[in-house]
């Protein structure tokens, strides 16, 4: 598990290689990642947008951004958590992801909550440092 806390928001990520959806012979590798966002602050926060940087084993980088996550812009009350699972395909058997969520407090103040960097590696492959 990868974790980071910033601005009263703790973000945890657990990646999982999806062998059944991957086709290594075609250069298609798929991971799911489960993100848990916990409000450790004292006021509600809303997830407004996301920014991801996805890097494959060849150093190719893709930037992904958009409103919300999985079609939602959840409001997370103090002490509550929001969890979702999404996926990322790569053309290489390993890679790396990191990013941030644009969060907004009840008073309208926006801030970036850091999504910790995490490795996408197939089980059984030699681990590489990205």
């Amino acid at each position: 598990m990868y974790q980071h806390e910033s601005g009263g928001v703790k973000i945890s990520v657990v990646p999982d290689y999806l062998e059944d959806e991957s086709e290594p012979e075609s250069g298609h590798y798929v991971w799911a990642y489960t993100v848990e966002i916990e409000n450790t602050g004292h006021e509600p926060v809303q997830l407004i947008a996301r920014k991801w940087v996805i890097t494959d084993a060849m150093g190719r980088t893709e930037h992904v951004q958009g409103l919300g996550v999985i079609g939602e812009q959840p409001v997370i009350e103090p002490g509550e958590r929001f969890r979702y699972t999404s996926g990322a395909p790569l053309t290489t058997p390993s890679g790396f992801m990191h990013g941030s969520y644009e969060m907004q407090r009840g008073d309208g103040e926006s801030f970036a909550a850091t999504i910790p960097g995490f490795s996408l590696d197939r089980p059984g492959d030699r681990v590489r440092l990205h």
Side-chain angles (χ1 to χ4, degrees):
M1 177 185 301
Y2 301 83
Q3 288 186 336
H4 188 270
E5 186 167 351
S6 53
V9 175
K10 181 164 69 173
I11 300 173
S12 305
V13 182
V14 177
D16 184 32
Y17 178 66
L18 301 179
E19 187 170 352
D20 292 348
E21 294 185 31
S22 298
E23 297 177 5
E25 62 282 349
S26 301
H28 183 72
Y29 304 86
V30 181
W31 284 264
Y33 54 90
T34 300
V35 178
E36 183 174 273
I37 304 164
E38 180 181 358
N39 183 349
T40 60
H42 301 291
E43 59 185 309
V45 294
Q46 182 175 16
L47 190 157
I48 302 299
R50 69 191 182 285
K51 292 181 183 178
W52 285 104
V53 179
I54 306 167
T55 306
D56 72 12
M58 302 300 288
R60 293 177 292 231
T61 301
E62 179 182 3
H63 294 260
V64 178
Q65 55 187 3
L67 293 176
V69 292
I70 62 166
E72 297 184 47
Q73 291 181 306
V75 173
I76 308 166
E77 297 291 333
E80 292 188 349
R81 301 168 189 215
F82 176 80
R83 180 186 289 212
Y84 74 96
T85 300
S86 192
L90 291 179
T91 58
T92 60
S94 66
F96 187 80
M97 290 179 66
H98 70 279
S100 64
Y101 294 122
E102 178 189 344
M103 306 295 287
Q104 190 173 69
R105 299 188 200 288
D107 63 5
E109 176 194 357
S110 291
F111 66 98
T114 301
I115 303 168
F118 57 96
S119 186
L120 302 171
D121 293 301
R122 287 192 310 173
D125 281 0
R126 195 169 141 218
V127 175
R128 302 176 193 187
L129 296 176
H130 298 283

